[in-house]
């Protein structure tokens, strides 16, 4: 079977910064392989294109420039948020969740769900970074396709619903947020 739309592709890979000699950013081994539904934007378009029409056992090695991956680091996506925004009624301890390095689910403009990393915690505000963790990086992948199978009806239905939901959301514009 080939890696085509409506197939589930299972891979092991290493992700490096810049090239194969760059810093190892992520390692996904075969015993904890990554599976994705081909053709439904589960992975970067250039990643999917590099695997298109390949079969089980195919080994890959390719790069994706930052402009085709997660783009440049956007300074305007690093914002100060008043600490009172994190006053949560269900007795979640602010000190527990507001730790540097924690990634928190948030709701942005137009009720858009997003995640931000806590960068700094101050007495009256928190500095959060809403850039993708790989923003500003050229990516380089090495790996192997471990398996390919037909997607189940349930997987296809879920993917089509997620695709419809994403199409209903507008682009995320952080320009209105305070700096």
């Amino acid at each position: 079977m080939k890696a085509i739309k409506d197939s589930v592709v299972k891979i092991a890979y290493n992700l490096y910064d810049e090239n194969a000699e760059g810093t190892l950013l992520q390692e996904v081994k075969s015993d904890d392989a990554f599976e994705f539904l081909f053709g439904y934007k589960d992975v970067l378009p250039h990643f999917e294109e590099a695997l298109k029409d390949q079969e089980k056992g195919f080994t890959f090695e390719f790069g994706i420039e930052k402009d085709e991956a997660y783009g440049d680091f956007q300074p305007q996506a690093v914002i100060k948020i008043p600490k009172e925004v994190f006053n949560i009624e269900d007795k979640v301890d602010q000190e527990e969740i507001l730790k540097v390095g924690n990634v928190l689910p948030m709701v942005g403009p137009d009720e858009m769900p997003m995640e931000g990393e806590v960068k700094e915690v101050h007495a009256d505000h928190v500095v959060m970074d809403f850039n993708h963790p790989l923003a500003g990086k050229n990516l380089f992948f090495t790996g192997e396709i471990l398996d390919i199978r037909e997607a189940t009806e349930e997987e296809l239905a879920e993917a089509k619903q997620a695709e419809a939901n994403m199409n209903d959301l507008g682009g995320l514009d952080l320009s209105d947020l305070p700096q």
Side-chain angles (χ1 to χ4, degrees):
M1 177 166 212
K2 293 186 180 211
I4 57 172
K5 187 168 176 76
D6 298 341
S7 64
V8 175
V9 179
K10 184 177 185 178
I11 60 172
Y13 67 91
N14 289 334
L15 168 59
Y16 300 91
D17 186 7
E18 293 295 329
N19 55 46
E21 291 77 40
T23 303
L24 179 65
L25 301 173
Q26 185 177 39
E27 181 178 27
V28 177
K29 296 183 178 190
S30 57
D31 60 346
D32 193 27
F34 173 66
E35 282 190 348
F36 68 96
L37 183 56
F38 204 92
Y40 290 89
K41 302 178 184 173
D42 285 351
V43 296
L44 293 168
H46 288 279
F47 187 94
E48 196 168 75
E49 188 61 33
L51 301 183
K52 186 176 181 180
D53 295 324
Q54 300 301 332
E55 297 179 339
K56 178 181 176 177
F58 175 73
T59 57
F60 53 88
E61 190 170 301
F62 60 90
I64 302 176
E65 295 292 315
K66 65 182 174 184
D67 294 341
E68 301 296 332
Y70 298 101
D72 286 320
F73 181 86
Q74 302 292 321
Q76 70 269 22
V78 180
I79 61 172
K80 293 179 185 176
I81 299 175
K83 214 168 182 183
E84 67 242 16
V85 167
F86 300 95
N87 291 338
I88 302 170
E89 292 179 19
D90 59 356
K91 298 180 182 164
V92 173
D93 185 4
Q94 257 192 13
E95 288 183 25
E96 187 65 33
I97 63 169
L98 297 180
K99 289 183 180 175
V100 173
N102 278 359
V103 176
L104 305 176
M106 304 286 289
V107 178
D110 302 325
E111 302 300 310
M112 173 78 126
M114 50 199 288
E115 291 185 336
E117 180 182 352
V118 176
K119 294 305 232 182
E120 301 172 18
V121 179
H122 300 271
D124 62 342
H125 70 275
V126 177
V127 176
M128 294 191 69
D129 182 355
F130 290 95
N131 283 289
H132 188 281
L134 297 175
K137 296 183 184 297
N138 294 321
L139 308 177
F140 191 83
F141 294 89
T142 63
E144 179 182 1
I145 296 178
L146 303 174
D147 195 24
I148 302 173
R149 64 173 173 79
E150 285 186 39
T152 65
E153 290 299 321
E154 184 177 300
E155 288 169 326
L156 291 172
E158 256 181 51
K160 289 175 183 173
Q161 182 60 53
E163 190 174 53
N165 291 346
M166 288 304 290
N167 289 337
D168 289 343
L169 295 174
L172 179 59
D173 179 11
L174 296 174
S175 62
D176 292 340
L177 296 173
Q179 299 299 307

Short mmCIF file of all heavy atoms in Angstrom, two decimals, residues 31-53:
data_model
loop_
_atom_site.label_atom_id
_atom_site.label_comp_id
_atom_site.label_asym_id
_atom_site.label_seq_id
_atom_site.Cartn_x
_atom_site.Cartn_y
_atom_site.Cartn_z
N ASP A 31 9.05 1.90 18.59
CA ASP A 31 8.15 1.35 19.62
C ASP A 31 7.14 2.37 20.12
O ASP A 31 6.22 2.03 20.85
CB ASP A 31 8.95 0.75 20.77
CG ASP A 31 9.86 1.74 21.48
OD1 ASP A 31 10.09 2.84 20.92
OD2 ASP A 31 10.33 1.42 22.58
N ASP A 32 7.30 3.62 19.73
CA ASP A 32 6.34 4.68 20.07
C ASP A 32 6.10 5.53 18.81
O ASP A 32 6.12 6.76 18.85
CB ASP A 32 6.87 5.54 21.21
CG ASP A 32 5.81 6.42 21.81
OD1 ASP A 32 4.61 6.07 21.75
OD2 ASP A 32 6.16 7.50 22.34
N ALA A 33 5.88 4.86 17.70
CA ALA A 33 5.81 5.51 16.38
C ALA A 33 4.66 6.51 16.29
O ALA A 33 3.68 6.45 17.02
CB ALA A 33 5.67 4.44 15.30
N PHE A 34 4.83 7.42 15.34
CA PHE A 34 3.84 8.46 15.06
C PHE A 34 2.97 7.99 13.90
O PHE A 34 3.46 7.56 12.87
CB PHE A 34 4.58 9.76 14.69
CG PHE A 34 3.67 10.86 14.22
CD1 PHE A 34 2.76 11.45 15.08
CD2 PHE A 34 3.74 11.33 12.92
CE1 PHE A 34 1.93 12.48 14.65
CE2 PHE A 34 2.92 12.36 12.48
CZ PHE A 34 2.02 12.93 13.35
N GLU A 35 1.66 8.07 14.08
CA GLU A 35 0.70 7.73 13.03
C GLU A 35 -0.07 8.98 12.63
O GLU A 35 -0.44 9.78 13.50
CB GLU A 35 -0.32 6.69 13.52
CG GLU A 35 0.17 5.30 13.56
CD GLU A 35 -0.95 4.29 13.82
OE1 GLU A 35 -2.07 4.69 14.19
OE2 GLU A 35 -0.69 3.11 13.65
N PHE A 36 -0.32 9.12 11.34
CA PHE A 36 -1.14 10.23 10.89
C PHE A 36 -1.96 9.81 9.68
O PHE A 36 -1.60 8.91 8.94
CB PHE A 36 -0.29 11.47 10.57
CG PHE A 36 0.62 11.33 9.38
CD1 PHE A 36 0.22 11.80 8.13
CD2 PHE A 36 1.86 10.75 9.50
CE1 PHE A 36 1.06 11.69 7.03
CE2 PHE A 36 2.71 10.64 8.41
CZ PHE A 36 2.30 11.11 7.18
N LEU A 37 -3.09 10.48 9.54
CA LEU A 37 -4.00 10.23 8.42
C LEU A 37 -3.56 11.09 7.25
O LEU A 37 -3.56 12.32 7.34
CB LEU A 37 -5.44 10.54 8.83
CG LEU A 37 -6.53 10.26 7.82
CD1 LEU A 37 -6.51 8.81 7.34
CD2 LEU A 37 -7.89 10.58 8.43
N PHE A 38 -3.16 10.45 6.20
CA PHE A 38 -2.60 11.13 5.03
C PHE A 38 -3.70 11.91 4.30
O PHE A 38 -4.78 11.41 4.06
CB PHE A 38 -1.97 10.10 4.09
CG PHE A 38 -0.92 10.65 3.19
CD1 PHE A 38 0.41 10.63 3.56
CD2 PHE A 38 -1.25 11.22 1.98
CE1 PHE A 38 1.40 11.15 2.74
CE2 PHE A 38 -0.28 11.74 1.14
CZ PHE A 38 1.05 11.71 1.52
N GLY A 39 -3.38 13.16 3.96
CA GLY A 39 -4.29 13.98 3.16
C GLY A 39 -5.21 14.88 3.95
O GLY A 39 -6.12 15.49 3.38
N TYR A 40 -5.02 14.99 5.28
CA TYR A 40 -5.93 15.78 6.11
C TYR A 40 -5.23 16.82 6.96
O TYR A 40 -5.71 17.19 8.03
CB TYR A 40 -6.78 14.85 6.99
CG TYR A 40 -7.78 14.09 6.16
CD1 TYR A 40 -7.44 12.86 5.61
CD2 TYR A 40 -9.03 14.61 5.89
CE1 TYR A 40 -8.34 12.16 4.82
CE2 TYR A 40 -9.94 13.92 5.11
CZ TYR A 40 -9.58 12.69 4.57
OH TYR A 40 -10.47 12.00 3.79
N LYS A 41 -4.08 17.30 6.51
CA LYS A 41 -3.35 18.37 7.20
C LYS A 41 -2.94 18.01 8.62
O LYS A 41 -2.85 18.87 9.49
CB LYS A 41 -4.17 19.67 7.18
CG LYS A 41 -4.50 20.14 5.79
CD LYS A 41 -5.35 21.39 5.81
CE LYS A 41 -5.75 21.77 4.38
NZ LYS A 41 -6.69 22.85 4.34
N ASP A 42 -2.70 16.72 8.86
CA ASP A 42 -2.22 16.29 10.17
C ASP A 42 -0.74 16.59 10.36
O ASP A 42 -0.24 16.59 11.49
CB ASP A 42 -2.45 14.78 10.37
CG ASP A 42 -3.90 14.44 10.65
OD1 ASP A 42 -4.70 15.36 10.88
OD2 ASP A 42 -4.23 13.24 10.64
N VAL A 43 -0.03 16.79 9.25
CA VAL A 43 1.39 17.11 9.26
C VAL A 43 1.62 18.28 8.30
O VAL A 43 0.74 18.64 7.52
CB VAL A 43 2.26 15.90 8.86
CG1 VAL A 43 2.13 14.77 9.88
CG2 VAL A 43 1.93 15.40 7.47
N LEU A 44 2.81 18.85 8.34
CA LEU A 44 3.14 19.93 7.42
C LEU A 44 2.98 19.47 5.97
O LEU A 44 3.33 18.33 5.64
CB LEU A 44 4.59 20.37 7.64
CG LEU A 44 4.89 21.04 8.97
CD1 LEU A 44 6.40 21.16 9.17
CD2 LEU A 44 4.23 22.41 9.04
N PRO A 45 2.45 20.33 5.10
CA PRO A 45 2.25 19.94 3.70
C PRO A 45 3.52 19.42 3.02
O PRO A 45 3.47 18.42 2.29
CB PRO A 45 1.77 21.23 3.03
CG PRO A 45 1.15 22.02 4.13
CD PRO A 45 1.95 21.68 5.36
N HIS A 46 4.67 20.03 3.27
CA HIS A 46 5.91 19.57 2.65
C HIS A 46 6.37 18.24 3.22
O HIS A 46 7.02 17.46 2.52
CB HIS A 46 7.00 20.65 2.76
CG HIS A 46 6.74 21.81 1.85
ND1 HIS A 46 7.05 21.79 0.51
CD2 HIS A 46 6.17 23.00 2.09
CE1 HIS A 46 6.69 22.94 -0.03
NE2 HIS A 46 6.14 23.69 0.90
N PHE A 47 6.03 17.96 4.46
CA PHE A 47 6.34 16.66 5.06
C PHE A 47 5.53 15.58 4.34
O PHE A 47 6.06 14.57 3.91
CB PHE A 47 6.00 16.68 6.55
CG PHE A 47 6.44 15.45 7.29
CD1 PHE A 47 7.66 15.41 7.92
CD2 PHE A 47 5.63 14.33 7.33
CE1 PHE A 47 8.08 14.27 8.60
CE2 PHE A 47 6.03 13.19 8.00
CZ PHE A 47 7.27 13.16 8.64
N GLU A 48 4.24 15.84 4.18
CA GLU A 48 3.38 14.89 3.51
C GLU A 48 3.81 14.68 2.05
O GLU A 48 3.85 13.54 1.57
CB GLU A 48 1.94 15.38 3.58
CG GLU A 48 0.92 14.32 3.25
CD GLU A 48 -0.47 14.76 3.62
OE1 GLU A 48 -1.03 15.60 2.91
OE2 GLU A 48 -0.99 14.25 4.63
N GLU A 49 4.18 15.76 1.38
CA GLU A 49 4.61 15.67 -0.01
C GLU A 49 5.85 14.78 -0.16
O GLU A 49 5.97 14.03 -1.12
CB GLU A 49 4.89 17.07 -0.57
CG GLU A 49 5.15 17.11 -2.05
CD GLU A 49 3.99 16.61 -2.92
OE1 GLU A 49 2.82 16.79 -2.56
OE2 GLU A 49 4.29 16.01 -3.97
N ALA A 50 6.75 14.85 0.81
CA ALA A 50 7.97 14.04 0.76
C ALA A 50 7.68 12.54 0.91
O ALA A 50 8.47 11.71 0.46
CB ALA A 50 8.95 14.49 1.84
N LEU A 51 6.56 12.20 1.53
CA LEU A 51 6.21 10.79 1.72
C LEU A 51 5.17 10.28 0.74
O LEU A 51 4.90 9.06 0.68
CB LEU A 51 5.70 10.58 3.15
CG LEU A 51 6.67 10.94 4.28
CD1 LEU A 51 6.06 10.61 5.63
CD2 LEU A 51 8.01 10.27 4.11
N LYS A 52 4.59 11.17 -0.04
CA LYS A 52 3.51 10.81 -0.96
C LYS A 52 3.93 9.68 -1.91
O LYS A 52 5.02 9.70 -2.47
CB LYS A 52 3.08 12.03 -1.78
CG LYS A 52 1.88 11.78 -2.64
CD LYS A 52 1.46 13.06 -3.35
CE LYS A 52 0.23 12.79 -4.19
NZ LYS A 52 -0.18 14.00 -4.88
N ASP A 53 3.06 8.70 -2.04
CA ASP A 53 3.22 7.55 -2.94
C ASP A 53 4.33 6.59 -2.52
O ASP A 53 4.67 5.67 -3.26
CB ASP A 53 3.44 7.99 -4.39
CG ASP A 53 2.23 8.68 -4.97
OD1 ASP A 53 1.09 8.27 -4.63
OD2 ASP A 53 2.40 9.64 -5.74
#
